[in-house]
Amino acid sequence: LVNSKMLFVFAFQTGHTTGPSLNNDKLYKFAYSAEVYVDRVKSSLQKSAGYRISSSVDVNLLWRNPDNDDDQLVKITMKDVQVENVNERPADKNIFKGKSTEKIIGKEYLEALQRPIMVELVRGKIQTFYSYQNEPGFTQNIKRGLASLFQLQLHSGSSREVDISGKCDTTYHVRQDQVTKVKDLDSCEIERKRFTSHNRILDVSTKATSATVYVLEDSFIKSIKAEENFVFALNYRRKTGAKIVSKQRLELKSVQAGMGLIAAKQVAGVIKTLDPNYVAMPLEAEPVKSECKKCPSLSEHWKSIREQMHPDKLSKPDAAKSFLSFIQNIRKATKEEILKVIKSENKDFLPQVVDAVTSAQTPESLEAVLEFLDFKDASTFILQERFLYACGFASHPSETLLKSLTEKFKGEVASQEIRETLVIVMGALIRKLCDRDGCKLPAVVEAKRLILNRLEKANKDDNVQMYLLALKNALLPEAIPVLLKYAESGEGPVSSLAATALQRYDPSFFTKEVKETMNRIYHQTRKIHEKTVRTTAAAIILNSNPSYMEVKNILLSIGELPMEMNKYMLSMIQDILRFEMPSSKTVRQVLKDMRAHNYDRFSKMGSSSAYTGYITRGPDVSSTYSLDILYSGSGILRRSNMNIRVFDRSTDLHAIQVVLEAQGLESIIAATPDEGEENLDSFAGMSAILFDFQLRPVTFFQGYGDLMSKMLSATGDPMNVVKGLVLLTDFLQEIQLQSGPTASAEFMGGLAIDISGGMEFSLWYRESKTNVKNRVAIFVAGNTEVDSFFVKTGMDTTLETETALDFISTVQFSQYPFLVCMQMDRVDSPFRTHMTKYEILPSGRRYTARRGKAATLAGNEYPLHQENSNMCKKVFGTKSDSAGSWF
């Protein structure tokens, strides 16, 4: 009997296992540490904020399956827990100095942390994790992080593996007594909050890596080194970013005699014998977040920032800063708390409150604002408009939001302008949801069907235009045939709007039919079209990989067009060549033919122009501006178009477009209209795109009677196009660190904006002037934090800037050829960055390290073509003080 028992024990000790194998009756004593670091991306870890948890760890085998060597129950106990700075620091900067571990962590938490856990290892993988059920989630996660280190396989290969990080793709590389485990953190399935901005340029890039190196001796662990790295960087300014590094170390110190094995057939019997309070729990981390005990209520917070949100301060960085902090607090608030703030505010501040509440994009905030707004009441027009525009700029809209707006559109809406804005915003939400693979969501399908069906049945031009504007935002591939029909067959503004909607599509969507239709419009093979539609068609052709013959036909048409259109098309071709646009190679090939390239064609007179230039060229993103202006033959503005685009190597963002349009004004100066424009009604207006979102156009006047009344009552003040607060960057990622704590990275960028535009017209001095004023301020805030129950460590980063950009076009038509001067000016722009690293105990004791930098970007008058510079000298050399003007 004795001999057979000795053989039985020996078999267990020498039996083959595919995972780590513990010897019977032994106690393995380890030294363990878990460290976290938070800092800027390229900073040395020696200067980071962070902390270290260290302890001794006892490991012993409790039970081995009599029928399977690969099934083991292991007990793991943390002892002598210590908390300290991760880097050496002077005593006055050490928040842990003079505090015992019990005081830092708390007696209850320390007891829970040092209570043993048990894991059942089957073939090296944790089959079951046993712990006390009612322990705090924080301590459970730290012990889960320690237990996960013991999960190991002794052969190379890949698998889906569950540990504290969730279910992840894991790859093992085995070489002699060393095993490297690489975990693909992007593949991990775990419930954590995460959202990103809609456009990549406005978003944050992330990179996450995880590797664990095991050194083995006699099929058991001699040492473990694990490291996770998380890097975050703003795509439009990669210097603004952060990193979180988490390290774990486990090192075998000694092997001592331990308790004997417990005899049992099943694990459950062993657990019951040891302590019935132990229960099987998921190895995956449970979500935990420390409560803020002294945080102000939403109402208190609003009162503290309220003055920064005054309408007169809306183009200042402080407004954007307050806007972001308000959104963060709204996201934590209940519907009742939000309604309390909304209902207590006056008309000056309410629009800003609506901006923030809508931008928060939580179910509670949406319910609150929809309950407050009454679309049957025209008197709250401004609030309804601000709500809808904030919906259009939504960073991560929900299906519920689109569904709510669709229901509002189907119901009673007092204001026709709000009704138009509703459907325009629905178009923007369709696009954003489709871009995130949500095109088949029921609310998206219904909204698409509604817009396309209503457009088909619309009989008034106004109704047609509002559905076309919705399609201009939605950019649905299935809408292209509809837009082609209206571009070619529609009249006036309808045709122009359909053409500009097509211009927003990526050229990859343009079929042979699109190209053929655009060529028919430009060359007027079926009907006469207005200059604005023809020039848009030409731009579409030249921007979508045109054939040799398409380019040749466009060049041959120059000289046969109305005079100002001749000059405009010539400028467009020259701009393509000068700025090396994609079609420039084909244009150069065509220009080798003297029939297309000759003095007669390239010496056409006129004042219309097109010009593109760089605002900035940087390592992260670059931005361009383009100004094109088209006049009628009588010298009156037909269309001016200012665009600012931002792009990186893979994508672009249409940041701003402001289009001023006028027609039918020749009768004022007794001039002759151009061909095809003899019967146009008098009209002037403005259309804007802001961050890829087409806003509802603004009308200055419509019809001759309206024009006359505006001229007689003109104040000269510009008309507002958009004013408010926009959430640009909106990124949040919660992270489960392998060592146990929860981390988060949050970046928010707010824009305070004020765009206005106007046209002045002096009959006495025969001069007109258009002015588009852009006032913007940007504030970006980043917070990267590791949150443990006993300490928070992290880094705050901010950057702010403000600027003003004016586009002014002055035309003197007292002589012919008339004089035109275009100016694009930017004022001095202050730029400030600030960084704060911190460590905070719940008692309020804290360590902070700050660093800031300020600079001024000098103002600039952006260069246009030399011809414009020469003209400006003449305009301002002959200019007299003109007093008479209409708005």
Side-chain angles (χ1 to χ4, degrees), residues 70 253 539 689 815:
D70 268 334
K253 291 298 183 182
I689 291 173
Q815 57 183 341

Short mmCIF file of all heavy atoms in Angstrom, two decimals, residues 70 253 539 689 815:
data_model
loop_
_atom_site.label_atom_id
_atom_site.label_comp_id
_atom_site.label_asym_id
_atom_site.label_seq_id
_atom_site.Cartn_x
_atom_site.Cartn_y
_atom_site.Cartn_z
N ASP A 70 -3.65 17.48 -16.49
CA ASP A 70 -3.79 18.85 -17.01
C ASP A 70 -4.91 19.63 -16.34
O ASP A 70 -5.23 20.74 -16.77
CB ASP A 70 -4.05 18.81 -18.52
CG ASP A 70 -2.76 18.89 -19.31
OD1 ASP A 70 -1.79 19.45 -18.76
OD2 ASP A 70 -2.72 18.40 -20.44
N LYS A 253 10.74 33.61 -5.94
CA LYS A 253 11.79 33.88 -4.95
C LYS A 253 12.23 32.61 -4.22
O LYS A 253 13.41 32.45 -3.91
CB LYS A 253 11.28 34.91 -3.93
CG LYS A 253 11.07 36.31 -4.50
CD LYS A 253 12.39 36.90 -5.00
CE LYS A 253 12.25 38.32 -5.52
NZ LYS A 253 13.52 38.83 -6.05
N ALA A 539 -16.59 71.55 -63.79
CA ALA A 539 -15.75 71.20 -62.63
C ALA A 539 -15.87 69.70 -62.32
O ALA A 539 -14.87 69.05 -61.99
CB ALA A 539 -16.17 72.03 -61.42
N ILE A 689 -21.50 75.34 -46.30
CA ILE A 689 -21.19 73.99 -45.82
C ILE A 689 -20.20 74.16 -44.68
O ILE A 689 -19.22 74.90 -44.81
CB ILE A 689 -20.59 73.10 -46.94
CG1 ILE A 689 -21.64 72.78 -47.99
CG2 ILE A 689 -19.99 71.82 -46.36
CD1 ILE A 689 -21.08 72.05 -49.21
N GLN A 815 -16.51 101.64 -65.37
CA GLN A 815 -15.81 101.61 -66.66
C GLN A 815 -15.74 100.16 -67.11
O GLN A 815 -16.04 99.25 -66.36
CB GLN A 815 -14.40 102.18 -66.50
CG GLN A 815 -13.58 101.45 -65.44
CD GLN A 815 -12.22 102.08 -65.24
OE1 GLN A 815 -11.74 102.81 -66.09
NE2 GLN A 815 -11.59 101.79 -64.13
#
